[in-house]
Amino acid sequence: MEMKTSKLWEGLAKDKFAKIDDSFLRNFREPGGSNNRLAAWDPFDKSMRYFKFLFYHQLQAKEDTFFANYAKIGQTLLGNPVTLPGPSELQINLDHFFSIEEFTFLNKNLHFDDIAHVLEIGAGFGRTAQALIKLVRNIERYTIVDIPEVLSLSCRYLEKVLSEQEFSKLSFINAFDLRADDRQFGPLDLVINIDSFQEMTQETITFYLERIVRKARFFYSKNAVGKYRPESVGLYDVDENQLMDVFSLGLSRDVIDIFSTKELSRAREKHVMQYRPAASFGIVAQEPLGIFPYYLNVLYGKV
């Protein structure tokens, strides 16, 4: 039987491998280079394969209790997120995966029986509120502070995924209507900020820390421990003016190599002190995010 080259490789041989010279050898393994036809992967990929494999790997590390808690939060598919199959026909998406990780961290490090009023600064579409209201039944009040456009989204989303009784626990406050005193909130047990202080100016963060966070018993922060250059993750042609604006936001503004264990360790030490609300708060617990270790879970509590 005569050996024949496939049409696929006939074209590839002519297009990518016709001239193997020193110039080819210097660069053929670069992202997007000819090696993407020889190896099993290429760093640049327009599909979701690497996202899904990364997510799948994280799911394999979770215990049964994680998925049991995920099942308790109810509707998680509104908005048509990307999902992977979990046990018992669960469809797991990354947003609510994070919510259960956050609940697990908090549940391990504080007594939820003593938490009646939660306030979240910058709640996004409301995934954390959904999870905590579903999983911590003794929460009596959950206040969300956000800009009006995002408040509209979280309000409409949570109205659809919570029961009437659960939704009645929520209060929505326009960030631009905040007063300079805390009487509008009453006693605060836990204040939460997830992935948004790093996108605010230092003045705005200071306002929140002084007027809201310092009045609470506990503060939970999950933010990046530093900034990174876009080319380190394969992003090029980024507007330098926009980049400088991003680098000016948040409190942890050092530019670091987010893939260096040594630099991440130093940045975490600095980060926990930068976001410590006041001298009256101690660090109860801290834990890097598994899937993106340049994020850090930190729980502070009054000492």
Side-chain angles (χ1 to χ4, degrees):
M1 184 174 66
E2 182 183 0
M3 193 280 290
K4 292 185 177 180
T5 305
S6 68
K7 290 183 179 180
L8 170 66
W9 269 95
E10 279 183 5
L12 289 173
K14 292 177 182 178
D15 180 43
K16 289 184 175 289
F17 302 98
K19 188 177 181 181
I20 309 300
D21 56 13
D22 287 346
S23 176
F24 178 91
L25 288 173
R26 278 196 299 272
N27 303 307
F28 81 102
R29 296 175 69 188
E30 286 185 348
S34 298
N35 194 51
N36 63 10
R37 304 309 311 182
L38 302 174
W41 65 282
D42 191 307
F44 289 148
D45 192 315
K46 295 179 181 179
S47 74
M48 289 191 289
R49 82 174 83 185
Y50 296 122
F51 166 78
K52 285 192 167 185
F53 274 122
L54 181 63
F55 190 18
Y56 177 80
H57 177 72
Q58 291 293 311
L59 288 176
Q60 301 312 297
K62 296 304 182 186
E63 299 179 351
D64 291 344
T65 52
F66 181 93
F67 297 106
N69 286 327
Y70 193 101
K72 292 176 184 176
I73 62 177
Q75 163 68 287
T76 61
L77 301 181
L78 180 59
N80 197 28
V82 174
T83 65
L84 290 183
S88 305
E89 300 185 358
L90 279 176
Q91 290 297 313
I92 314 291
N93 70 80
L94 188 63
D95 294 314
H96 289 92
F97 171 91
F98 285 150
S99 296
I100 301 303
E101 282 198 330
E102 292 150 8
F103 165 78
T104 303
F105 172 79
L106 289 170
N107 193 44
K108 182 170 62 177
N109 293 300
L110 56 72
H111 299 291
F112 265 129
D113 289 345
D114 299 330
I115 304 299
H117 186 189
V118 178
L119 184 146
E120 185 172 4
I121 300 167
F125 69 85
R127 62 171 181 79
T128 306
Q130 176 186 0
L132 291 184
I133 288 173
K134 288 284 190 181
L135 292 169
V136 186
R137 292 296 180 178
N138 59 290
I139 289 178
E140 298 172 2
R141 185 180 174 193
Y142 197 111
T143 302
I144 292 176
V145 176
D146 217 325
I147 62 175
E149 295 82 358
V150 183
L151 275 184
S152 177
L153 171 61
S154 60
C155 182
R156 294 199 64 181
Y157 173 85
L158 289 166
E159 193 172 21
K160 289 187 178 294
V161 299
L162 298 176
S163 69
E164 266 188 58
Q165 181 181 4
E166 291 165 339
F167 186 77
S168 69
K169 297 180 179 182
L170 286 158
S171 300
F172 299 88
I173 296 182
N174 183 338
F176 298 113
D177 292 337
L178 285 173
R179 299 195 299 268
D181 63 80
D182 65 332
R183 285 174 291 179
Q184 60 188 312
F185 302 124
L188 286 172
D189 297 307
L190 171 65
V191 172
I192 293 173
N193 180 263
I194 296 172
D195 199 16
S196 65
F197 270 178
Q198 66 199 30
E199 298 173 349
M200 299 180 192
T201 65
Q202 183 173 349
E203 292 75 17
T204 300
I205 299 170
T206 299
F207 175 86
Y208 280 127
L209 291 177
E210 291 180 351
R211 302 299 184 180
I212 297 176
V213 177
R214 291 178 186 175
K215 310 296 174 62
R217 294 169 50 222
F218 294 97
F219 171 51
Y220 168 51
S221 166
K222 178 178 151 186
N223 283 280
V225 299
K227 308 290 186 179
Y228 60 89
R229 293 289 309 180
E231 57 267 24
S232 70
V233 293
L235 294 173
Y236 301 96
D237 299 323
V238 176
D239 185 290
E240 195 68 18
N241 290 325
Q242 291 182 352
L243 187 61
M244 290 301 102
D245 180 57
V246 170
F247 282 178
S248 72
L249 301 176
L251 300 182
S252 296
R253 298 191 294 272
D254 290 348
V255 178
I256 63 172
D257 180 354
I258 59 173
F259 303 104
S260 164
T261 300
K262 183 182 293 185
E263 290 195 29
L264 284 172
S265 179
R266 285 199 297 260
R268 288 172 189 143
E269 289 182 16
K270 198 170 180 180
H271 176 83
V272 294
M273 300 311 296
Q274 288 167 326
Y275 280 92
R276 185 183 178 191
S280 57
F281 280 80
I283 300 165
V284 177
Q286 58 177 299
E287 181 180 289
L289 195 61
I291 194 168
F292 299 124
Y294 69 100
Y295 277 80
L296 190 66
N297 296 286
V298 190
L299 179 66
Y300 303 89
K302 281 190 172 170
V303 293

